[in-house]
Coordinates of all heavy atoms in Angstrom, one line a residue:
M1 N -2.0 -8.5 -17.5 CA -1.9 -8.1 -16.2 C -3.1 -7.2 -15.8 O -3.5 -6.3 -16.5 CB -0.6 -7.4 -15.9 CG -0.1 -7.4 -14.6 SD 1.7 -7.1 -14.5 CE 1.7 -5.4 -14.1
T2 N -3.7 -7.5 -14.6 CA -4.9 -6.8 -14.3 C -4.4 -5.6 -13.3 O -3.5 -5.8 -12.6 CB -5.8 -7.7 -13.5 OG1 -5.2 -8.2 -12.3 CG2 -6.4 -8.7 -14.3
D3 N -5.2 -4.5 -13.4 CA -4.9 -3.5 -12.6 C -5.6 -3.5 -11.2 O -6.8 -3.7 -11.2 CB -5.4 -2.1 -13.3 CG -4.9 -0.8 -12.5 OD1 -4.1 -1.0 -11.6 OD2 -5.5 0.2 -12.9
R4 N -4.9 -3.5 -10.1 CA -5.5 -3.8 -8.8 C -6.4 -2.6 -8.4 O -7.3 -2.7 -7.6 CB -4.4 -3.9 -7.7 CG -3.7 -5.2 -7.9 CD -2.7 -5.4 -6.9 NE -3.4 -5.4 -5.5 CZ -2.7 -5.3 -4.4 NH1 -1.5 -5.1 -4.2 NH2 -3.4 -5.4 -3.3
H5 N -6.0 -1.3 -8.9 CA -6.8 -0.2 -8.5 C -7.3 0.4 -9.8 O -6.7 1.3 -10.5 CB -5.9 0.8 -7.8 CG -5.3 0.2 -6.5 ND1 -6.1 0.0 -5.4 CD2 -4.1 -0.2 -6.3 CE1 -5.3 -0.5 -4.5 NE2 -4.0 -0.6 -5.0
P6 N -8.5 0.0 -10.2 CA -9.0 0.6 -11.4 C -9.2 2.1 -11.4 O -9.5 2.7 -10.3 CB -10.4 -0.1 -11.7 CG -10.8 -0.6 -10.3 CD -9.5 -0.7 -9.6
A7 N -9.0 2.8 -12.4 CA -9.1 4.3 -12.5 C -10.5 4.7 -12.2 O -11.5 4.2 -12.9 CB -8.6 4.8 -13.8
R8 N -10.7 5.5 -11.2 CA -12.0 6.1 -10.9 C -11.7 7.5 -10.5 O -10.7 7.8 -9.9 CB -12.8 5.3 -9.8 CG -12.0 5.1 -8.6 CD -12.9 4.2 -7.6 NE -12.0 3.6 -6.7 CZ -12.2 3.4 -5.5 NH1 -13.3 3.7 -5.0 NH2 -11.3 2.9 -4.7
P9 N -12.7 8.4 -10.8 CA -12.5 9.8 -10.5 C -12.4 10.0 -9.0 O -13.0 9.3 -8.2 CB -13.8 10.5 -11.0 CG -14.7 9.4 -11.1 CD -14.1 8.1 -11.3
A10 N -11.6 11.0 -8.6 CA -11.4 11.3 -7.2 C -12.7 11.9 -6.7 O -13.4 12.7 -7.5 CB -10.2 12.3 -7.0
L11 N -13.1 11.6 -5.4 CA -14.2 12.1 -4.8 C -14.0 13.6 -4.6 O -12.9 14.0 -4.1 CB -14.5 11.4 -3.5 CG -15.7 11.8 -2.7 CD1 -16.9 11.4 -3.6 CD2 -15.7 11.1 -1.4
E12 N -15.0 14.5 -4.9 CA -15.0 15.9 -4.7 C -15.2 16.2 -3.2 O -16.2 15.8 -2.6 CB -16.0 16.6 -5.5 CG -15.7 16.6 -6.9 CD -15.5 18.1 -7.4 OE1 -15.0 18.8 -6.7 OE2 -15.8 18.3 -8.5
I13 N -14.1 16.6 -2.5 CA -14.2 17.0 -1.2 C -13.8 18.4 -1.0 O -12.8 18.9 -1.6 CB -13.2 16.1 -0.3 CG1 -13.5 14.6 -0.5 CG2 -13.2 16.6 1.2 CD1 -12.5 13.7 0.0
F14 N -14.6 19.2 -0.3 CA -14.4 20.6 -0.1 C -14.0 20.9 1.3 O -14.4 20.2 2.3 CB -15.5 21.4 -0.5 CG -16.1 21.2 -1.9 CD1 -17.4 20.6 -2.2 CD2 -15.2 21.5 -3.1 CE1 -17.8 20.4 -3.5 CE2 -15.7 21.1 -4.3 CZ -17.0 20.7 -4.5
L15 N -13.3 22.1 1.6 CA -13.1 22.6 2.9 C -14.5 22.9 3.5 O -15.3 23.5 2.9 CB -12.2 23.8 2.9 CG -10.8 23.6 2.6 CD1 -10.1 25.0 2.5 CD2 -10.1 22.8 3.7
G16 N -14.7 22.5 4.7 CA -15.9 22.8 5.3 C -17.0 21.7 5.3 O -18.0 21.8 5.9
D17 N -16.6 20.7 4.4 CA -17.6 19.5 4.4 C -17.6 18.9 5.8 O -16.6 18.8 6.5 CB -17.1 18.4 3.4 CG -17.3 18.7 2.0 OD1 -18.1 19.7 1.7 OD2 -16.9 18.0 1.1
V18 N -18.8 18.3 6.2 CA -19.0 17.6 7.4 C -19.3 16.2 6.9 O -20.3 16.0 6.1 CB -20.0 18.1 8.3 CG1 -20.2 17.1 9.5 CG2 -19.7 19.5 8.8
V19 N -18.4 15.2 7.2 CA -18.6 13.8 6.6 C -18.9 12.9 7.8 O -18.5 13.1 8.9 CB -17.4 13.4 5.8 CG1 -17.2 14.2 4.6 CG2 -16.1 13.4 6.7
R20 N -19.6 11.8 7.4 CA -19.8 10.8 8.4 C -19.1 9.5 8.0 O -19.2 9.1 6.9 CB -21.4 10.4 8.5 CG -21.7 9.3 9.5 CD -23.1 9.3 9.8 NE -23.5 10.6 10.5 CZ -24.6 11.2 10.4 NH1 -25.6 10.7 9.6 NH2 -24.9 12.3 11.1
L21 N -18.3 9.0 9.0 CA -17.4 7.8 8.7 C -18.0 6.6 9.3 O -18.8 6.7 10.2 CB -16.0 8.1 9.2 CG -15.3 9.3 8.6 CD1 -13.9 9.4 9.2 CD2 -15.2 9.3 7.1
R22 N -17.6 5.5 8.8 CA -18.0 4.2 9.2 C -17.7 3.9 10.7 O -18.5 3.4 11.5 CB -17.4 3.1 8.4 CG -18.4 2.2 7.7 CD -17.8 1.1 7.0 NE -17.1 1.5 5.9 CZ -16.1 0.9 5.2 NH1 -15.6 -0.3 5.7 NH2 -15.5 1.3 4.1
R23 N -16.5 4.2 11.1 CA -16.0 3.9 12.4 C -16.3 5.1 13.3 O -16.1 6.2 12.9 CB -14.5 3.5 12.4 CG -14.2 2.3 11.6 CD -12.7 2.0 11.7 NE -12.4 1.0 10.8 CZ -11.2 0.5 10.5 NH1 -10.2 1.3 11.0 NH2 -11.0 -0.5 9.8
R24 N -16.7 4.7 14.6 CA -16.9 5.8 15.6 C -15.5 6.2 16.1 O -14.5 5.4 16.3 CB -17.7 5.4 16.7 CG -19.2 5.1 16.3 CD -19.9 4.8 17.6 NE -21.3 4.8 17.3 CZ -22.1 5.9 17.3 NH1 -21.6 7.1 17.5 NH2 -23.4 5.8 17.0
H25 N -15.4 7.5 16.5 CA -14.2 7.9 17.2 C -14.4 7.5 18.6 O -15.6 7.3 19.1 CB -14.2 9.5 17.2 CG -12.9 10.1 17.7 ND1 -12.8 10.9 18.7 CD2 -11.7 10.1 17.2 CE1 -11.6 11.3 19.0 NE2 -10.9 10.8 18.1
P26 N -13.3 7.4 19.4 CA -13.5 6.9 20.8 C -14.4 7.8 21.7 O -15.0 7.2 22.7 CB -12.1 6.9 21.3 CG -11.2 6.7 20.1 CD -11.9 7.4 19.0
C27 N -14.6 9.1 21.4 CA -15.5 9.9 22.1 C -17.0 9.5 21.8 O -17.9 10.1 22.3 CB -15.2 11.4 21.8 SG -15.7 11.9 20.2
G28 N -17.1 8.8 20.7 CA -18.5 8.4 20.3 C -19.1 9.1 19.1 O -20.1 8.7 18.6
A29 N -18.4 10.1 18.6 CA -18.8 10.8 17.5 C -18.5 10.2 16.1 O -17.6 9.4 16.0 CB -18.2 12.2 17.4
T30 N -19.4 10.4 15.1 CA -19.1 9.8 13.9 C -19.0 10.9 12.7 O -18.6 10.6 11.6 CB -20.3 8.9 13.4 OG1 -21.5 9.6 13.4 CG2 -20.4 7.6 14.2
D31 N -19.2 12.1 13.1 CA -19.2 13.2 12.2 C -17.8 14.0 12.3 O -17.3 14.2 13.3 CB -20.3 14.2 12.4 CG -21.7 13.6 12.0 OD1 -21.7 12.4 11.4 OD2 -22.7 14.1 12.4
W32 N -17.3 14.4 11.1 CA -16.0 15.0 11.0 C -16.0 16.1 10.1 O -16.6 16.2 9.0 CB -14.9 14.0 10.6 CG -14.7 12.9 11.4 CD1 -15.5 11.7 11.4 CD2 -13.7 12.7 12.4 NE1 -15.0 10.9 12.4 CE2 -13.9 11.4 13.0 CE3 -12.6 13.4 12.8 CZ2 -13.1 10.8 14.0 CZ3 -11.8 13.0 13.8 CH2 -12.0 11.7 14.4
L33 N -15.3 17.2 10.5 CA -15.2 18.5 9.6 C -13.9 18.4 8.9 O -12.8 18.2 9.4 CB -15.2 19.7 10.5 CG -14.9 21.0 9.8 CD1 -16.1 21.4 8.9 CD2 -14.6 22.1 10.8
V34 N -14.0 18.5 7.5 CA -12.8 18.6 6.7 C -12.2 20.0 6.8 O -12.8 21.0 6.5 CB -13.2 18.3 5.3 CG1 -11.9 18.5 4.3 CG2 -13.8 16.9 5.1
D35 N -10.9 20.1 7.3 CA -10.3 21.3 7.5 C -8.9 21.5 6.8 O -8.3 22.5 7.0 CB -10.1 21.7 9.0 CG -9.2 20.8 9.7 OD1 -8.7 19.8 9.2 OD2 -9.1 21.0 11.0
R36 N -8.5 20.5 6.0 CA -7.3 20.5 5.2 C -7.5 19.5 4.1 O -8.0 18.4 4.2 CB -6.1 20.1 6.1 CG -4.8 20.2 5.3 CD -3.6 19.7 6.1 NE -2.4 19.8 5.5 CZ -1.9 19.0 4.6 NH1 -2.7 18.0 4.1 NH2 -0.7 19.2 4.0
L37 N -7.1 20.0 2.9 CA -7.2 19.2 1.7 C -5.7 19.0 1.1 O -4.8 19.8 1.3 CB -8.0 19.8 0.6 CG -9.4 20.0 0.9 CD1 -10.1 20.8 -0.1 CD2 -10.1 18.7 1.1
G38 N -5.5 17.9 0.5 CA -4.3 17.5 -0.2 C -4.3 16.0 -0.4 O -5.2 15.3 -0.4
A39 N -3.1 15.4 -0.4 CA -3.0 14.0 -0.5 C -3.5 13.3 0.8 O -4.1 12.3 0.9 CB -1.6 13.6 -0.7
D40 N -3.3 14.1 1.9 CA -3.8 13.7 3.2 C -4.9 14.7 3.5 O -4.7 15.9 3.2 CB -2.8 13.7 4.4 CG -1.8 12.7 4.2 OD1 -2.1 11.6 3.6 OD2 -0.6 12.9 4.6
I41 N -6.0 14.2 4.1 CA -7.1 15.1 4.5 C -7.1 15.3 6.0 O -7.0 14.3 6.7 CB -8.4 14.4 4.1 CG1 -8.5 14.0 2.6 CG2 -9.6 15.4 4.4 CD1 -8.4 15.1 1.5
G42 N -7.3 16.6 6.4 CA -7.3 16.9 7.9 C -8.8 16.9 8.2 O -9.7 17.5 7.6
L43 N -9.1 16.1 9.3 CA -10.4 16.0 9.8 C -10.4 16.4 11.3 O -9.5 16.2 12.1 CB -10.9 14.6 9.8 CG -11.0 14.0 8.4 CD1 -11.4 12.5 8.5 CD2 -12.0 14.7 7.5
R44 N -11.5 17.1 11.7 CA -11.7 17.5 13.1 C -13.0 16.9 13.6 O -14.0 17.0 13.1 CB -11.7 19.0 13.2 CG -11.8 19.4 14.7 CD -11.4 20.9 14.9 NE -10.1 21.3 14.3 CZ -8.9 21.1 14.9 NH1 -8.8 20.5 16.0 NH2 -7.8 21.5 14.3
C45 N -12.8 16.1 14.7 CA -14.0 15.3 15.3 C -15.0 16.4 15.8 O -14.6 17.4 16.5 CB -13.5 14.5 16.5 SG -14.8 13.7 17.4
Q46 N -16.2 16.2 15.5 CA -17.3 17.1 15.9 C -17.7 16.9 17.3 O -18.5 17.7 17.9 CB -18.5 17.0 14.9 CG -18.2 17.5 13.5 CD -17.8 18.9 13.5 OE1 -18.7 19.9 13.5 NE2 -16.6 19.2 13.4
G47 N -17.2 15.8 17.9 CA -17.6 15.5 19.3 C -16.6 16.1 20.2 O -16.9 16.8 21.3
C48 N -15.3 15.9 20.0 CA -14.2 16.4 21.0 C -13.3 17.3 20.5 O -12.3 17.7 21.1 CB -13.5 15.1 21.5 SG -12.6 14.1 20.3
Q49 N -13.3 17.6 19.1 CA -12.5 18.6 18.5 C -11.0 18.0 18.2 O -10.1 18.8 17.9 CB -12.5 19.9 19.1 CG -13.8 20.6 19.3 CD -14.5 20.7 18.0 OE1 -13.9 21.3 17.1 NE2 -15.7 20.3 17.9
R50 N -10.8 16.7 18.3 CA -9.5 16.1 18.0 C -9.2 16.3 16.6 O -10.1 16.1 15.8 CB -9.5 14.7 18.5 CG -8.3 13.9 18.2 CD -7.3 14.0 19.2 NE -6.2 13.2 18.9 CZ -5.1 13.1 19.7 NH1 -5.1 13.8 20.7 NH2 -4.1 12.3 19.3
H51 N -8.0 16.5 16.2 CA -7.6 16.7 14.8 C -6.8 15.4 14.4 O -5.9 15.0 15.1 CB -6.8 17.9 14.7 CG -6.5 18.3 13.2 ND1 -5.3 17.9 12.7 CD2 -7.3 18.8 12.1 CE1 -5.4 18.2 11.3 NE2 -6.5 18.8 11.0
V52 N -7.2 14.9 13.2 CA -6.4 13.8 12.7 C -6.2 14.0 11.3 O -6.9 14.8 10.5 CB -7.2 12.4 12.8 CG1 -7.4 12.1 14.3 CG2 -8.5 12.4 12.2
M53 N -5.1 13.3 10.7 CA -4.9 13.3 9.3 C -5.1 11.9 8.7 O -4.6 11.0 9.4 CB -3.4 13.8 9.0 CG -3.0 15.1 9.5 SD -3.8 16.4 8.6 CE -2.8 16.4 7.1
I54 N -5.8 11.9 7.6 CA -6.1 10.6 7.0 C -5.8 10.6 5.6 O -6.1 11.6 4.9 CB -7.5 10.3 7.4 CG1 -7.9 8.7 6.9 CG2 -8.5 11.1 6.7 CD1 -9.2 8.2 7.4
E55 N -5.3 9.5 5.0 CA -5.1 9.4 3.5 C -6.4 9.6 2.8 O -7.4 9.1 3.2 CB -4.4 8.2 3.1 CG -3.0 8.0 3.5 CD -2.5 6.6 3.1 OE1 -2.8 6.2 2.0 OE2 -1.6 6.2 3.8
R56 N -6.4 10.2 1.6 CA -7.6 10.6 0.8 C -8.2 9.1 0.4 O -9.4 9.1 0.6 CB -7.2 11.3 -0.4 CG -8.4 11.6 -1.3 CD -8.0 12.3 -2.5 NE -7.7 13.7 -2.2 CZ -8.6 14.7 -2.4 NH1 -9.8 14.4 -2.6 NH2 -8.2 15.9 -1.9
R57 N -7.4 8.2 0.1 CA -7.9 6.9 -0.3 C -8.7 6.3 0.8 O -9.7 5.6 0.7 CB -6.7 6.1 -0.7 CG -6.8 5.1 -1.6 CD -5.5 4.5 -1.9 NE -4.5 4.2 -0.8 CZ -3.4 3.8 -1.0 NH1 -2.9 3.5 -2.2 NH2 -2.5 3.7 0.1
V58 N -8.2 6.4 2.1 CA -8.8 5.7 3.3 C -10.1 6.5 3.6 O -11.1 5.9 3.9 CB -7.8 5.8 4.5 CG1 -8.5 5.3 5.7 CG2 -6.6 4.9 4.1
L59 N -10.0 7.8 3.5 CA -11.3 8.6 3.7 C -12.4 8.1 2.7 O -13.5 7.9 3.0 CB -11.0 10.1 3.5 CG -12.3 10.9 3.6 CD1 -12.9 10.9 5.0 CD2 -11.9 12.4 3.3
E60 N -12.0 8.0 1.4 CA -13.0 7.6 0.4 C -13.7 6.2 0.7 O -14.8 6.0 0.5 CB -12.4 7.6 -1.0 CG -12.1 9.0 -1.5 CD -11.5 9.0 -2.8 OE1 -11.3 7.9 -3.5 OE2 -11.1 10.1 -3.3
R61 N -12.8 5.4 1.2 CA -13.2 4.0 1.7 C -14.2 4.0 2.8 O -15.2 3.2 2.9 CB -12.0 3.1 1.8 CG -12.3 1.6 1.7 CD -11.0 0.8 1.7 NE -10.1 1.1 2.8 CZ -8.8 1.5 2.6 NH1 -8.3 1.6 1.4 NH2 -8.1 1.7 3.6
R62 N -13.8 4.9 3.8 CA -14.6 4.9 5.0 C -15.8 5.8 5.0 O -16.6 5.8 6.0 CB -13.7 5.3 6.2 CG -12.7 4.3 6.5 CD -11.9 4.7 7.7 NE -10.8 3.8 8.0 CZ -9.8 4.1 8.9 NH1 -9.9 5.1 9.6 NH2 -8.9 3.2 9.1
L63 N -16.0 6.6 4.0 CA -17.0 7.6 4.0 C -18.4 7.0 3.8 O -18.5 6.0 3.0 CB -16.8 8.6 2.7 CG -17.8 9.7 2.6 CD1 -17.7 10.7 3.7 CD2 -17.6 10.3 1.2
V64 N -19.3 7.3 4.7 CA -20.7 6.8 4.6 C -21.6 7.8 3.9 O -22.3 7.5 3.0 CB -21.2 6.5 6.1 CG1 -22.7 6.2 5.9 CG2 -20.4 5.3 6.6
A65 N -21.5 9.2 4.4 CA -22.3 10.2 3.8 C -21.7 11.5 4.1 O -20.9 11.6 5.0 CB -23.8 10.1 4.5
F66 N -22.2 12.5 3.3 CA -21.9 13.9 3.5 C -23.0 14.5 4.4 O -24.2 14.4 3.9 CB -21.8 14.7 2.3 CG -20.6 14.4 1.5 CD1 -20.6 13.6 0.4 CD2 -19.4 15.1 1.8 CE1 -19.5 13.3 -0.3 CE2 -18.3 14.8 1.0 CZ -18.3 13.9 0.0
V67 N -22.8 14.9 5.6 CA -23.8 15.5 6.4 C -24.2 16.9 5.9 O -25.2 17.3 5.8 CB -23.3 15.6 7.9 CG1 -24.2 16.3 8.8 CG2 -23.0 14.1 8.5
S68 N -23.0 17.7 5.6 CA -23.3 19.0 4.9 C -22.0 19.2 4.1 O -21.0 18.7 4.2 CB -23.4 20.1 6.0 OG -22.3 20.2 6.7
R69 N -22.3 20.0 3.0 CA -21.2 20.3 2.1 C -20.6 21.7 2.3 O -21.4 22.7 2.7 CB -21.7 20.3 0.6 CG -22.3 18.9 0.1 CD -21.2 17.8 0.2 NE -20.1 18.2 -0.7 CZ -19.5 17.4 -1.5 NH1 -19.9 16.2 -1.7 NH2 -18.4 17.8 -2.1
G70 N -19.3 21.7 2.2 CA -18.6 23.0 2.2 C -18.7 23.9 1.0 O -19.5 23.5 0.1
D71 N -18.2 25.0 1.0 CA -18.3 25.9 -0.1 C -17.2 25.6 -1.2 O -16.0 25.7 -0.9 CB -18.1 27.4 0.3 CG -18.4 28.3 -0.7 OD1 -18.7 28.0 -1.8 OD2 -18.2 29.6 -0.5
P72 N -17.5 25.2 -2.4 CA -16.4 24.8 -3.4 C -15.5 26.2 -3.7 O -14.4 26.0 -4.1 CB -17.3 24.5 -4.7 CG -18.6 24.3 -4.2 CD -18.8 24.9 -2.9
A73 N -16.1 27.3 -3.6 CA -15.4 28.6 -3.9 C -14.2 28.7 -3.0 O -13.1 29.2 -3.4 CB -16.2 29.8 -3.9
V74 N -14.4 28.4 -1.7 CA -13.4 28.5 -0.7 C -12.2 27.5 -1.1 O -11.1 27.9 -1.0 CB -13.9 28.2 0.8 CG1 -12.8 28.2 1.7 CG2 -14.9 29.4 1.1
S75 N -12.6 26.3 -1.4 CA -11.6 25.3 -1.8 C -10.8 25.7 -3.0 O -9.6 25.4 -3.1 CB -12.3 23.9 -2.0 OG -12.8 23.5 -0.7
A76 N -11.5 26.2 -4.0 CA -10.8 26.7 -5.2 C -9.9 27.8 -5.0 O -8.9 27.9 -5.6 CB -11.9 27.0 -6.3
A77 N -10.3 28.7 -4.0 CA -9.5 29.9 -3.7 C -8.1 29.5 -3.1 O -7.2 30.2 -3.2 CB -10.2 30.9 -2.9
L78 N -8.2 28.4 -2.4 CA -7.0 28.0 -1.7 C -6.0 27.0 -2.5 O -5.0 26.6 -2.0 CB -7.3 27.2 -0.4 CG -8.0 28.1 0.6 CD1 -8.5 27.3 1.7 CD2 -7.1 29.3 1.1
Q79 N -6.4 26.6 -3.7 CA -5.7 25.8 -4.7 C -4.5 26.6 -5.1 O -4.5 27.8 -5.4 CB -6.5 25.3 -5.9 CG -7.7 24.5 -5.6 CD -7.2 23.1 -5.1 OE1 -6.1 22.6 -5.6 NE2 -7.9 22.4 -4.3
P80 N -3.2 26.0 -5.1 CA -2.1 26.8 -5.6 C -2.2 27.1 -7.1 O -2.8 26.2 -7.9 CB -1.0 25.7 -5.3 CG -1.6 24.4 -5.2 CD -2.9 24.6 -4.7
V81 N -1.9 28.2 -7.5 CA -1.9 28.7 -8.8 C -0.6 28.5 -9.4 O 0.5 28.8 -8.9 CB -2.3 30.2 -8.9 CG1 -2.3 30.7 -10.3 CG2 -3.5 30.5 -8.2
S82 N -0.5 27.8 -10.6 CA 0.7 27.5 -11.3 C 1.2 28.7 -11.9 O 0.5 29.5 -12.7 CB 0.5 26.3 -12.3 OG -0.3 26.6 -13.3
T83 N 2.4 29.2 -11.7 CA 3.0 30.3 -12.4 C 4.1 29.8 -13.4 O 4.8 28.8 -13.1 CB 3.6 31.2 -11.4 OG1 4.6 30.5 -10.6 CG2 2.6 31.8 -10.4
P84 N 4.2 30.5 -14.5 CA 5.2 30.1 -15.5 C 6.6 30.3 -14.9 O 6.9 31.2 -14.1 CB 5.0 31.0 -16.6 CG 4.2 32.1 -16.1 CD 3.4 31.6 -14.9
A85 N 7.5 29.4 -15.3 CA 8.9 29.4 -14.8 C 9.6 30.7 -15.3 O 9.3 31.1 -16.5 CB 9.6 28.2 -15.2
P86 N 10.4 31.4 -14.6 CA 11.0 32.6 -15.1 C 12.0 32.2 -16.2 O 12.7 31.1 -16.2 CB 11.8 33.1 -13.9 CG 11.9 32.0 -12.9 CD 10.8 31.1 -13.2
E87 N 12.1 33.0 -17.3 CA 13.0 32.8 -18.3 C 14.5 33.1 -18.0 O 14.6 34.1 -17.3 CB 12.5 33.5 -19.6 CG 11.3 33.0 -20.1 CD 10.7 33.7 -21.4 OE1 11.6 34.3 -22.0 OE2 9.6 33.7 -21.6
D88 N 15.4 32.4 -18.4 CA 16.8 32.8 -18.1 C 17.1 33.9 -19.1 O 16.9 33.9 -20.3 CB 17.8 31.5 -18.4 CG 17.5 30.5 -17.3 OD1 17.1 30.9 -16.2 OD2 17.9 29.3 -17.6
G89 N 17.9 34.8 -18.7 CA 18.4 36.0 -19.4 C 19.6 35.6 -20.2 O 20.2 34.5 -20.1
P90 N 19.9 36.5 -21.2 CA 21.1 36.2 -22.0 C 22.4 36.2 -21.3 O 22.7 36.5 -20.2 CB 21.2 37.3 -23.0 CG 20.2 38.4 -22.6 CD 19.3 37.7 -21.5

């Protein structure tokens, strides 16, 4: 059986990245600011400031170029920190 989606590393996307997508927004802009990370990526249009949510997979497919890169330290600071589960007492 063949795998329809071969394993490939996830694209590194940081908060504050400005990306250029293939399709134009109705306002005519092609550049978007990344303002939320997760399974869905929050993008803000640089032309009209409209906010949209897009699946990470779709963003990776539509991405043409990075116009500017955000700060990796900011993205890392906002990552949830895993804490050990509390132990049950006697």
Side-chain angles (χ1 to χ4, degrees):
M1 203 157 96
T2 60
D3 188 12
R4 291 184 62 196
H5 302 286
R8 57 186 154 138
L11 183 65
E12 287 245 32
I13 300 171
F14 303 118
L15 284 176
D17 280 353
V18 177
V19 296
R20 182 161 295 146
L21 301 182
R22 237 185 290 160
R23 297 181 184 170
R24 288 187 174 276
H25 190 248
C27 74
T30 56
D31 295 347
W32 298 81
L33 173 72
V34 175
D35 65 359
R36 182 184 182 282
L37 295 175
D40 292 332
I41 306 294
L43 299 174
R44 186 157 309 274
C45 177
Q46 295 295 282
C48 65
Q49 301 305 308
R50 174 87 175 178
H51 187 262
V52 298
M53 298 292 286
I54 188 170
E55 291 180 30
R56 178 178 290 269
R57 207 176 40 184
V58 174
L59 175 67
E60 290 179 2
R61 202 170 49 237
R62 292 185 184 172
L63 182 71
V64 171
F66 286 99
V67 176
S68 65
R69 295 300 303 229
D71 187 5
V74 172
S75 296
L78 296 175
Q79 293 287 331
V81 178
S82 61
T83 56
E87 294 181 21
D88 291 335

